Amino acid sequence: MNIIFKYLLMIVLLLFALTTVAAWLIWVERRVLALWQDRYGPNRAGPFGLLIVVADTIKLFFKEDWIPPFADKGIFVVAPAIVAFTVLMSFVVVPFAPGILVADLDIGLLFFLAMSSLGVYSIVLGGWASNNKYSLLGALRGASQMISYEVFMGLSLMGVVMLSGSFRLTDIVHAQNEYWFIVTQPVAFVIFMIAGVAETHRLPFDIPEAESELVAGFHSEYSGMKFGMFFIGEYLGITLISAMVVTLFFGGWLGPSFLPPLIWFILKTVVFILFFILLRASLPRPRYDQLMEYGWKVLLPIALLNLLVTGAVVLLMNDSNI
């Protein structure tokens, strides 16, 4: 009974923390972008514009929840929930600190990859069910982009698995006691970050939503809280990729003992969340064909080469130990 209560408490705390973070990022992104671009951010609604989050939430709740008469209503309603569900399920295996996680699965890394790849169904179904040509084009772009970059993301992580000898995320963190994997796997880190930006379809890889070409892409027909679910899913995706980068390449909760492990994990994750935000302010959007060509002609060969080199080094180290 105590174990069940512990799991339920952990799930409730995680849901509360993640929804709070998603809301907080709305304000943080606007303030950071304003600072980066030398302009004012939200500064009227409450101190430092903090109440802009409340204003946006109220607006989404009271906006007309309109379903186009030409849409496939059942799928149209379900699609936004899929993206939030898949991202929240991915957080189940993230180790925030020793003992602070929902499930310490033996195949935690594979579970993360599986859940993140299921998010493509949200985009495809949302675009198709809208029965709108712009939405469908955005959905097709999003599907090919996410499926393609999922391949490079998975290949980049196999070097980490080789070095740690496990798919369990807590084992991967413990394997970084001597040195973080960013030292031995810098190429894998770069590939994972690029694939992570593409997976979350954030700028500069927001091609499924390119407003200058597709109005708003796959969610053109959405309004109210259905649009809000896509919005929240995007911010949760940023947080998830940042947390996974910290776990896989930057030692997770590991750090000097003057701060608790959970604080170290949060600080490292915040750094990468800010990096995601600054990318939006800094880089232009490539063409769709450039994005796909860059993935298959550049990232794929580099990921395979990194995998081969890592495997050779691990074999040499094992032979020398024998």
Side-chain angles (χ1 to χ4, degrees):
M1 193 68 181
N2 289 334
I3 296 175
I4 295 174
F5 176 75
K6 178 185 175 183
Y7 277 117
L8 289 175
L9 180 62
M10 190 68 68
I11 292 168
V12 170
L13 289 175
L14 182 60
L15 286 173
F16 175 76
L18 291 177
T19 50
T20 304
V21 164
W24 173 72
L25 282 179
I26 297 171
W27 177 81
V28 169
E29 180 166 39
R30 294 181 182 183
R31 294 292 291 190
V32 171
L33 289 177
L35 177 66
W36 195 252
Q37 296 172 342
D38 194 23
R39 58 180 175 79
Y40 290 115
N43 58 359
R44 300 296 179 88
F48 305 105
L50 280 168
L51 294 182
I52 196 71
V53 178
V54 180
D56 279 344
T57 305
I58 293 172
K59 179 186 73 174
L60 286 173
F61 269 111
F62 287 95
K63 210 168 185 180
E64 182 182 3
D65 189 15
W66 184 73
I67 299 177
F70 45 79
D72 188 318
K73 292 182 174 56
I75 298 176
F76 187 86
V77 171
V78 170
I82 296 175
V83 64
F85 172 77
T86 54
V87 175
L88 289 172
M89 285 297 292
S90 299
F91 275 103
V92 165
V93 295
V94 176
F96 301 97
I100 303 180
L101 79 165
V102 177
D104 192 14
L105 301 181
D106 291 337
I107 55 167
L109 190 57
L110 294 178
F111 184 83
F112 156 73
L113 291 172
M115 286 297 107
S116 61
S117 62
L118 286 177
V120 72
Y121 283 102
S122 174
I123 292 176
V124 172
L125 293 177
W128 176 78
S130 296
N131 200 11
N132 175 309
K133 290 182 176 62
Y134 289 111
S135 298
L136 182 59
L137 283 171
L140 293 175
R141 282 185 174 193
S144 58
Q145 174 178 318
M146 291 179 72
I147 291 171
S148 298
Y149 278 81
E150 189 77 27
V151 174
F152 318 136
M153 178 182 283
L155 286 174
S156 70
L157 298 181
M158 291 306 102
V160 171
V161 173
M162 286 182 185
L163 293 173
S164 61
S166 176
F167 284 99
R168 189 195 296 263
L169 292 178
T170 51
D171 291 344
I172 292 173
V173 173
H174 287 304
Q176 299 177 71
N177 269 318
E178 294 184 14
Y179 50 82
W180 295 349
F181 285 150
I182 182 62
V183 177
T184 54
Q185 291 288 295
V187 175
F189 162 70
V190 173
I191 295 172
F192 184 82
M193 279 298 297
I194 294 172
V197 176
E199 279 288 300
T200 53
H201 41 87
R202 287 278 298 180
L203 271 160
F205 296 157
D206 66 331
I207 291 173
E209 310 169 27
E211 69 279 354
S212 59
E213 304 164 29
L214 300 174
V215 186
F218 61 91
H219 55 65
S220 296
E221 300 293 344
Y222 283 90
S223 63
M225 277 310 296
K226 292 187 184 68
F227 170 76
M229 292 294 284
F230 283 119
F231 201 56
I232 291 168
E234 180 178 316
Y235 283 116
L236 288 177
I238 296 170
T239 309
L240 173 64
I241 296 297
S242 300
M244 290 301 296
V245 167
V246 170
T247 301
L248 297 167
F249 297 100
F250 287 86
W253 66 75
L254 300 176
S257 58
F258 62 84
L259 285 177
L262 181 60
I263 301 301
W264 277 120
F265 187 91
I266 292 172
L267 289 175
K268 293 176 189 178
T269 303
V270 167
V271 169
F272 285 100
I273 289 173
L274 292 176
F275 175 74
F276 268 91
I277 293 172
L278 293 180
L279 278 179
R280 179 176 180 176
S282 308
L283 298 177
R285 181 191 302 127
R287 291 199 318 265
Y288 175 68
D289 62 304
Q290 291 174 330
L291 174 69
M292 300 305 293
E293 183 177 351
Y294 178 72
W296 289 106
K297 292 186 178 180
V298 179
L299 289 187
L300 180 61
I302 293 175
L304 290 173
L305 182 61
N306 178 70
L307 193 58
L308 289 171
V309 171
T310 303
V313 170
V314 169
L315 284 174
L316 286 172
M317 289 172 61
N318 290 340
D319 290 342
S320 63
N321 290 335
I322 293 172

